[in-house]
PDB file of all heavy atoms in Angstrom:
ATOM      1  N   ARG A  50      85.287  91.450  83.996  1.00  0.00           N
ATOM      2  CA  ARG A  50      86.608  91.112  83.494  1.00  0.00           C
ATOM      3  C   ARG A  50      86.666  89.606  83.257  1.00  0.00           C
ATOM      4  O   ARG A  50      86.126  88.829  84.044  1.00  0.00           O
ATOM      5  CB  ARG A  50      87.708  91.516  84.491  1.00  0.00           C
ATOM      6  CG  ARG A  50      87.853  93.025  84.663  1.00  0.00           C
ATOM      7  CD  ARG A  50      88.345  93.675  83.379  1.00  0.00           C
ATOM      8  NE  ARG A  50      88.507  95.133  83.521  1.00  0.00           N
ATOM      9  CZ  ARG A  50      87.580  96.020  83.275  1.00  0.00           C
ATOM     10  NH1 ARG A  50      86.362  95.615  82.886  1.00  0.00           N
ATOM     11  NH2 ARG A  50      87.800  97.299  83.424  1.00  0.00           N
ATOM     12  N   LEU A  89     107.875  90.506  80.908  1.00  0.00           N
ATOM     13  CA  LEU A  89     106.746  89.578  80.823  1.00  0.00           C
ATOM     14  C   LEU A  89     105.452  90.321  80.516  1.00  0.00           C
ATOM     15  O   LEU A  89     104.633  89.873  79.713  1.00  0.00           O
ATOM     16  CB  LEU A  89     106.605  88.807  82.142  1.00  0.00           C
ATOM     17  CG  LEU A  89     107.687  87.774  82.444  1.00  0.00           C
ATOM     18  CD1 LEU A  89     107.506  87.210  83.851  1.00  0.00           C
ATOM     19  CD2 LEU A  89     107.675  86.648  81.412  1.00  0.00           C
ATOM     20  N   ALA A 139     109.633  69.294  87.784  1.00  0.00           N
ATOM     21  CA  ALA A 139     109.842  68.392  86.649  1.00  0.00           C
ATOM     22  C   ALA A 139     108.817  67.261  86.654  1.00  0.00           C
ATOM     23  O   ALA A 139     108.317  66.852  85.606  1.00  0.00           O
ATOM     24  CB  ALA A 139     111.257  67.827  86.690  1.00  0.00           C
ATOM     25  N   ALA A 231     132.990  90.975 107.554  1.00  0.00           N
ATOM     26  CA  ALA A 231     134.239  90.609 106.889  1.00  0.00           C
ATOM     27  C   ALA A 231     135.244  91.755 106.944  1.00  0.00           C
ATOM     28  O   ALA A 231     136.432  91.548 107.213  1.00  0.00           O
ATOM     29  CB  ALA A 231     133.960  90.218 105.443  1.00  0.00           C
ATOM     30  N   LEU A 296     122.331  92.661  82.743  1.00  0.00           N
ATOM     31  CA  LEU A 296     120.942  92.436  83.128  1.00  0.00           C
ATOM     32  C   LEU A 296     120.052  92.317  81.901  1.00  0.00           C
ATOM     33  O   LEU A 296     119.134  91.493  81.861  1.00  0.00           O
ATOM     34  CB  LEU A 296     120.472  93.582  84.027  1.00  0.00           C
ATOM     35  CG  LEU A 296     119.090  93.439  84.667  1.00  0.00           C
ATOM     36  CD1 LEU A 296     119.034  92.187  85.527  1.00  0.00           C
ATOM     37  CD2 LEU A 296     118.763  94.665  85.502  1.00  0.00           C
TER      38      LEU A 296
END
Side-chain angles (χ1 to χ4, degrees):
R50 293 294 181 270
L89 289 173
L296 187 59

